[in-house]
Amino acid sequence: MGAITHLQLIADVFMDRPFAMYDCGDVKQSMNLPLYSKVCLINGAVFALGITVLVVSPATVSQQVTPRELAVLTCGLALIVVTNALLLHGVLAPLSRLIQRMDRFNIGAPGERLPERGDRVAASVAKSFNAVLTRLELERAEGNARALAAQENERRRIAQELHDEVGQSLTVVLLSTKRALDMRPDDIENELTLVRDSARASLDEVRRIVRGLRPGVLEELGLVTALGAIAQEFDMKSPVNVRHQLTARLPTLTANTELVIFRVAQEALTNASRHATAKTVDMRLLADPESVTLSITDDGRGMSTEGNGEGIRGMRERALAVGGELRIVPGTGGGTEVSLRIPVASQQ
Amino acid sequence: MSDEARILLADDHALVRRGVRLILDASPGLRVVAEASDGAEAVALTRASDIDLVIMDVAMPRMTGLQAAREITSHDAHPYILMLSMFDNEQYFFEALKAGASGYVLKSVVDHDLVTACRAAVRGESFLYPGVESALVRSYLERIARGEAIPTSVLTAREDEVVKLIAEGHSSKEIARALVISVKTVERHRANVLEKLGMRDRTELTRYAIRAGLVEP
Ligand SMILES: Nc1ncnc2c1ncn2[C@@H]1O[C@H](COP(=O)(O)OP(=O)(O)OP(=O)(O)O)[C@@H](O)[C@H]1O
Ligand SMILES: [Mg+2]
């Protein structure tokens, strides 16, 4: 260990430089020794210094230790211990700073990482930590995608069953009651009318449920038609005015991606009509060679805090599951803008 | 009876087919001569036998009703087609029109609308279910408000009132009550209005729907 590094170490300890400041300068690089060697070197150097002092100085220790000698020895020992502690602290400080950062780290924010620079030990710990984070995020996205797919499949199955079984049986009831009523059965006409009306009401109800469960328009008539349909639906059944502008030139998207875009549009429209007290909502679907972007902008009261309801969480998870990105920002003219951007590259 | 309309019935549910058949056969002028349980079978039967009207469920296995309708109308001298569906989305209705169907009957009012729709279809007219009619009229009014559409012919004051009520989604019965006229009169106004707006005939209707952006061409 050269004199410069030694002095540097001591200086660092006293100035308590953050480890990130050890950049890739040539001289500083040389002190990136393994932790173990550093500790050994520091201890060795301190002991060597103590012994050198003992040898060079005229001090001796009598057979019968005098109080003065005892005092000198105690001071010497204290000096050695303190020097050692200070030097070791300098070496270990980057690690404890790293640990503090890890404790404060927000695992929930995707893409956030610890800096991997500076002190070699701290950098390599940070590197492994980041690798674990990447793996966790990947697994979480896969888990979410699986859960969402399972949920959609289950919904589709229930919808299919309702439509095919309950729906058709009710249709048969309607048709049969009509036949029965056509036969003019005067004494039970009222009862039959009741049967007919409640069969009709149930059929309407089944239709409503099936529609909520399975985006049939999406599957049969495609994304653009389906988005137009929900825009129109919200326009009619809620007091807000929903305008839409949807590009017809879309790149080929996977069925999964189309479903994600559709569900995000559904939730964003629901939120805008439920929470925003908006007058107008604009839905846009744009495509460029790299990506497809859905944006839903309202002119309402804006979002006070980034809400953490199920709805917004679900939108984020869905976006992540198909490699997209969801942003919720204040709209340019007040209100809120929700935008979902999906890179076309994720569609292969 | 050679002037009876010969009907092919296509639905994957045998009980629904039976129910529809019993009602149609009991109606003078309509007779079910064949049944199919999926879209492909319907297409094949239409080719093989002499059919005037096909009544088809929108959702069927093997080939959906919409696909089958496209297939059937791709040939010259094809029969009229009536779609039967659980769903009241306008998009399905317009898609059915685009596929060449003459009408669209909602299952929840099938007992009420089916025979009327069949009669309209064999006369070569289109059949609009009540919900879609109000949507059409509403979009028409919006276009006028935006200055995009000029009324092709002037409506009478009464017809104007009827149009507004239709656009608000009221049924004939409600309109009759509101205007203190008979349901029959409302129906007559309604027919006149649709005629004047060019929405009576299927081609006109489709053309209008495409112009209004209700379907993509
Ligand atoms: N467009 C918006 N304008 C104003 N506030 C909004 C908007 N969208 C969401 N918020 C606020 O964010 C909160 C969270 O929304 P989120 O969709 O996550 O949950 P939710 O709508 O309350 O319930 P749900 O789980 O049914 O969706 C809402 O309660 C609302 O206060
Ligand atoms: Mg919500």
Side-chain angles (χ1 to χ4, degrees), chain A residues 267-268 271-272 274-276 298 301-313 315 336 338:
Chain A
E267 173 63 26
N271 280 351
R274 182 147 27 118
H275 307 298
D298 66 60
R301 61 178 171 81
M303 274 175 73
S304 36
T305 51
E306 169 89 353
N308 269 331
E310 274 306 300
I312 290 175
R313 256 247 312 277
M315 290 199 281
T336 309
V338 176

Side-chain angles (χ1 to χ4, degrees), chain A residues 164 200 207 211 220 232, chain B residues 13 86 88 90 92 108:
Chain A
D164 287 357
R200 206 193 304 290
R207 176 178 65 215
R211 232 162 93 163
E220 278 138 40
Q232 203 176 328
Chain B
H13 288 258
M86 182 114 148
D88 62 349
E90 287 143 43
Y92 279 116
S108 60

Side-chain angles (χ1 to χ4, degrees), chain B residues 160-179:
Chain B
D160 245 353
E161 282 175 306
V162 174
V163 162
K164 292 219 174 61
L165 291 169
I166 293 177
E168 283 162 18
H170 296 287
S171 68
S172 295
K173 220 186 272 170
E174 288 164 343
I175 298 176
R177 216 175 306 131
L179 301 180

